[in-house]
Amino acid sequence: MEPIEQQVVSMPRIGDKAPEFKAVTTQGDINFPSDYKDKWIIFFSHPADFTPVCTSEFMTFAKRESEFTALNCQLVGLSIDGLFSHIAWLRTIKEKIEFKGMKNIEVKFPLIEDITMEVAKKYGMIQPGESTTKAVRAVFFIDPKAMIRAIIYYPLSMGRNFDELKRALIAMQTADSYDIATPADWQPGDDVIVPTAGSCGLAKERMEDKQEMTCYDWFFCTQALPLEKVKTK
């Protein structure tokens, strides 16, 4: 008996151009990502409408949307459910659900209909080990040049941490603006890591000059980046 061939879809990776598509959403038709030129995008999927974890996530995203808008970031959601299911679910959230002090929450960012799973497969949101018919909780950070900058995957059972999504966005924007890196557990206002010295002379100079930065060794130096400067970018 000959083995059954499985279609292999190459998942986009960090540094790739974000795959393009046209879609129907709860906010009208979109061309992705070109409709959001010059913006950051957080493109995220959820397994299904009318499920409790997804409901808690959409309420949280909707409540905090203005925070991401202030960071020049557009939220775009996706589910393999149909448009009318999306509309009914979002109406239910607004009219009936109260959770952690959130109520009358209106989801204003687009939620993509993907019944054919074409977009979900294109972005590697379908993980057969979890389910062959549900998108896992994927998050793609796409920069203003339509490049994928970060990818986070969560299992179906675990809700996302929205403070971390916002922190990751700010960290990438800060790294771009100041040509630095951010250390473990970095929060806006914490010290940042400066590029590693590229010559023996610069390494020696850094280790001897303690005024502008703190060097733990020649390859690991940090400097202050006040919160006010982070906010201005």
Side-chain angles (χ1 to χ4, degrees), residues 6 16 25 54 81 105 122 130 138 159 162 164 176 184 211 220:
Q6 292 185 342
D16 286 352
T25 84
C54 299
D81 287 327
I105 297 296
K122 183 177 289 190
E130 279 282 275
F162 291 82
E164 171 58 13
D176 287 355
Q211 294 182 358
F220 183 9

Side-chain angles (χ1 to χ4, degrees), residues 104-178:
N104 300 318
I105 297 296
E106 183 175 1
V107 177
K108 297 179 180 179
F109 55 82
L111 173 54
I112 293 170
E113 172 189 79
D114 192 30
I115 298 174
T116 64
M117 297 188 285
E118 178 182 352
V119 178
K121 289 178 179 177
K122 183 177 289 190
Y123 274 82
M125 295 171 171
I126 302 295
Q127 306 270 313
E130 279 282 275
S131 171
T132 57
T133 60
K134 293 180 179 179
V136 297
R137 300 180 198 285
V139 183
F140 289 83
F141 294 81
I142 301 170
D143 71 16
K145 296 181 180 179
M147 304 297 292
I148 294 174
R149 296 291 298 276
I151 305 171
I152 306 175
Y153 281 92
Y154 297 77
L156 300 176
S157 61
M158 185 172 71
R160 284 164 271 223
N161 184 307
F162 291 82
D163 288 334
E164 171 58 13
L165 298 183
K166 182 179 177 181
R167 187 195 77 93
L169 175 64
I170 295 173
M172 284 182 279
Q173 292 177 338
T174 302
D176 287 355
S177 296
Y178 292 99

Side-chain angles (χ1 to χ4, degrees), residues 69-134:
T69 299
L71 294 168
N72 190 37
C73 181
Q74 172 69 49
L75 305 178
V76 180
L78 175 143
S79 167
I80 60 171
D81 287 327
L83 180 64
F84 296 125
S85 173
H86 289 349
I87 293 171
W89 177 48
L90 298 186
R91 284 177 60 87
T92 297
I93 287 176
K94 186 177 189 305
E95 296 172 0
K96 296 182 179 181
I97 305 298
E98 182 174 352
F99 174 69
K100 285 191 172 180
M102 297 182 289
K103 62 180 180 179
N104 300 318
I105 297 296
E106 183 175 1
V107 177
K108 297 179 180 179
F109 55 82
L111 173 54
I112 293 170
E113 172 189 79
D114 192 30
I115 298 174
T116 64
M117 297 188 285
E118 178 182 352
V119 178
K121 289 178 179 177
K122 183 177 289 190
Y123 274 82
M125 295 171 171
I126 302 295
Q127 306 270 313
E130 279 282 275
S131 171
T132 57
T133 60
K134 293 180 179 179

Side-chain angles (χ1 to χ4, degrees), residues 174-192:
T174 302
D176 287 355
S177 296
Y178 292 99
D179 189 28
I180 50 84
T182 52
D185 293 331
W186 179 85
Q187 295 290 337
D190 291 350
D191 288 358
V192 296

